[in-house]
Amino acid sequence: MRALLAACQRPLAAPSANASGSISPTSAAHVAASLGGRIPLILDDGPCTVGLESTIVAAAADGIRLLRPGPVDFADIVATARLPVLGQRAGIEAPGQMASHYAPSTPLRLNAVAARPGEWLIGYGSVVGDDTLSASGDPVEAAANLFAALHRADGSGSTGIAVAPVPQAGLGIAINDRLARAAAPR
């Protein structure tokens, strides 16, 4: 992106590189599949290494609110900002706050330890599936693999997708946020 900005010699602004509400892209192939020829050019610098979208916070003089959990832990942001944590507001203030977002076209079931008939199981840790977020239970690896695994599951022809439980701590908070929104009714 820095090379593109240097070549353009002007600021650029762009939306996410996928259809709104669908599974986030983590590779150029995902972008091409999602946008179906509606854009003239895709720059391919390889797959995303982090996998999850950014942490988004709202900071004000009286405190700080988490709008979207991401790779940077909110507790670390609070400690650095030294501001009190404010309660959530109603309504959508930032990307990724819709109840249904990041969603595959195939129904998604969470906290599964085994696949039901017709389901594609995405494992984690000791839960072995058709695919895995991280066989060792590493949340960093799981975050990097999340959306690519959802893309593979959605394209598998299965009638459902099941995802193993991911601990609700650290980066697992952001992973579970994306999974809950992906599983929410549309």
Side-chain angles (χ1 to χ4, degrees), residues 52-181:
L52 292 180
E53 304 84 1
S54 58
T55 305
I56 301 176
V57 298
D62 61 336
I64 192 167
R65 284 181 296 110
L66 177 65
L67 300 179
R68 178 176 71 187
V72 178
D73 192 309
F74 183 56
D76 292 340
I77 295 171
V78 170
T80 301
R82 291 185 237 147
L83 292 169
V85 175
L86 301 173
Q88 296 299 320
R89 290 186 182 166
I92 295 173
E93 296 181 74
Q97 287 189 310
M98 295 183 300
S100 177
H101 202 62
Y102 315 107
S105 57
T106 308
L108 181 65
R109 182 172 64 91
L110 304 179
N111 300 314
V113 294
R116 294 178 181 159
E119 282 185 330
W120 177 279
L121 178 61
I122 300 173
Y124 179 83
S126 63
V127 177
V128 177
D130 300 292
D131 204 333
T132 187
L133 297 177
S134 172
S136 66
D138 177 2
V140 174
E141 180 182 23
N145 291 331
L146 176 63
F147 290 123
L150 286 173
H151 278 283
R152 287 188 295 271
D154 203 29
S156 71
S158 299
T159 58
I161 301 169
V163 181
V166 175
Q168 184 74 3
L171 195 50
I173 294 169
I175 293 168
N176 285 308
D177 171 78
R178 301 315 189 274
L179 287 170
R181 292 175 193 284

